[in-house]
């Protein structure tokens, strides 16, 4: 399973990259806008930090303009994956870009039917939004499981990129479901490390070692 960070923040990406477990990055217009730089510039800076797939989203709404924008984004770096929304125009643009050899991540997927359309259009990734479905009372992880099953039935090459993950449980359930990628905020990646017994065990090891090899000076 690949781990992506869902952020455009360079400090967060440097921290995640240092652990050596980072396979790529997803961004969206909200995340890019938060950093205040033009998208081309921000994506270029991200490509300098992370050697893996970097999703950059088009802002246009009609297919022709999405294709134009997608070509510009793809030309930034060989690792850029163009993100298109799951609309009629987005699927049309995905078909065109994919035929040109430009990889597309189809985003804002909330149903298995939508995921089928993305696969048929030749998308490289499909991004089901788990947390946002949970937010409206649906079972987001069920969507990931269903898409994985459907894609396996037909051998679609589109990779399932579980997105809008909000907790370590989401990440583990995505892995159990067979998602190819989990993208998460740095906060969630940090949480994957945590276990109180790890901290407790390490503390005890250090104390036991110090008792023998570095005892506290005896008072007179
Ligand atoms: O990758 C999609 C992600 O950015 C959406 O996450 O938490 O805003 O639903 P969230």
């Amino acid at each position: 399973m690949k781990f992506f960070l869902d952020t455009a923040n360079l400090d967060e990406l440097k921290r995640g990259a240092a652990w050596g477990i980072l396979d790529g990055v997803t961004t969206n217009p909200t995340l890019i806008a938060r950093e205040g730089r033009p998208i081309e510039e921000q994506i270029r800076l991200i490509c300098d930090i992370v050697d893996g797939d970097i999703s950059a989203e088009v802002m246009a709404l009609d297919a022709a303009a999405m294709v134009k924008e997608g070509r510009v984004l793809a030309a930034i770096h060989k690792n850029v994956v163009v993100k298109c929304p799951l609309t009629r125009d987005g699927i049309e643009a995905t078909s065109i870009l994919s035929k040109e050899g430009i990889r597309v991540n189809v985003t804002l997927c909330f149903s298995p039917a939508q995921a089928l359309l993305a696969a048929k259009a030749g998308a490289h990734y499909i991004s089901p939004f788990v947390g946002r479905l949970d937010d409206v009372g649906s079972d987001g992880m069920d969507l990931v499981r269903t898409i994985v099953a459907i894609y396996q039935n037909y051998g679609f090459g589109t990779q399932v990129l579980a997105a809008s993950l909000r907790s370590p449980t989401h990440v583990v359930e995505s892995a159990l479901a067979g998602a190819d990628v989990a993208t998460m905020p740095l906060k969630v990646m940090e949480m994957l490390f945590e276990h109180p017994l790890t901290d407790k065990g390490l503390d005890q090891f250090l104390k036991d070692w110090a008792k023998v090899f570095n005892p506290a000076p005896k008072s007179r």
Side-chain angles (χ1 to χ4, degrees), residues 2 4 23 26 52-55 81-82 94 103-107 118-119 122-128 151 157-161 180-181:
K2 287 184 240 165
F4 287 5
D23 302 299
T26 48
D53 288 353
I54 316 290
S55 286
V81 177
V82 175
T94 299
R103 295 177 305 149
V104 179
N105 174 359
V106 175
T107 188
H124 188 73
Y125 292 115
I126 182 68
S127 290
Y151 282 8
T158 305
Q159 296 184 39
V160 180
L161 190 163
D180 300 281
V181 186

Side-chain angles (χ1 to χ4, degrees), residues 100-135:
E100 290 179 10
I102 292 175
R103 295 177 305 149
V104 179
N105 174 359
V106 175
T107 188
L108 291 167
C109 172
F110 294 98
S111 78
Q114 290 181 320
L116 260 172
L117 294 171
K120 287 187 66 62
H124 188 73
Y125 292 115
I126 182 68
S127 290
F129 274 31
V130 174
R132 292 195 192 184
L133 275 169
D134 290 354
D135 289 345

Side-chain angles (χ1 to χ4, degrees), residues 6 26 28 31 83 107 129 131-132 135 163-166 183 185:
D6 193 33
T26 48
N28 62 36
L31 297 172
K83 230 173 163 187
T107 188
F129 274 31
R132 292 195 192 184
D135 289 345
S164 183
L165 303 181
R166 310 264 176 82
T183 191

Side-chain angles (χ1 to χ4, degrees), residues 6-196:
D6 193 33
T7 180
N9 182 275
L10 305 181
D11 291 334
E12 290 187 355
L13 290 168
K14 281 177 198 157
R15 183 163 169 77
W19 293 322
I21 53 155
L22 187 59
D23 302 299
V25 180
T26 48
T27 68
N28 62 36
T30 305
L31 297 172
I32 293 285
R34 205 173 277 164
E35 304 308 313
R37 285 193 195 91
I39 183 163
E40 287 90 346
E41 197 182 324
Q42 193 68 22
I43 293 294
R44 208 167 285 124
L45 291 169
I46 292 172
C47 290
D48 287 342
I49 297 170
V50 180
D51 183 19
D53 288 353
I54 316 290
S55 286
E57 190 159 343
V58 298
M59 288 299 299
L61 295 178
D62 71 280
M66 280 187 201
V67 168
K68 209 170 151 194
E69 231 181 285
R71 287 176 185 144
V72 171
L73 291 171
I76 295 173
H77 193 281
K78 65 176 173 43
N79 288 347
V80 170
V81 177
V82 175
K83 230 173 163 187
C84 290
L86 214 154
T87 58
R88 287 170 177 76
D89 286 270
I91 290 297
E92 187 180 334
T94 299
S95 302
I96 296 168
L97 290 168
S98 299
K99 285 189 185 91
E100 290 179 10
I102 292 175
R103 295 177 305 149
V104 179
N105 174 359
V106 175
T107 188
L108 291 167
C109 172
F110 294 98
S111 78
Q114 290 181 320
L116 260 172
L117 294 171
K120 287 187 66 62
H124 188 73
Y125 292 115
I126 182 68
S127 290
F129 274 31
V130 174
R132 292 195 192 184
L133 275 169
D134 290 354
D135 289 345
V136 296
S138 295
D139 182 351
M141 203 48 69
D142 199 45
L143 175 60
V144 176
R145 282 188 287 269
T146 306
I147 296 172
V148 169
I150 290 173
Y151 282 8
Q152 276 174 358
N153 282 348
Y154 293 96
F156 283 123
T158 305
Q159 296 184 39
V160 180
L161 190 163
S164 183
L165 303 181
R166 310 264 176 82
S167 67
T169 306
H170 272 161
V171 177
V172 171
E173 286 188 4
S174 298
L176 268 176
D180 300 281
V181 186
T183 191
M184 66 202 88
L186 181 68
K187 182 178 68 180
V188 172
M189 197 173 273
E190 295 264 14
M191 288 162 78
L192 297 178
F193 287 88
E194 302 300 333
H195 199 288

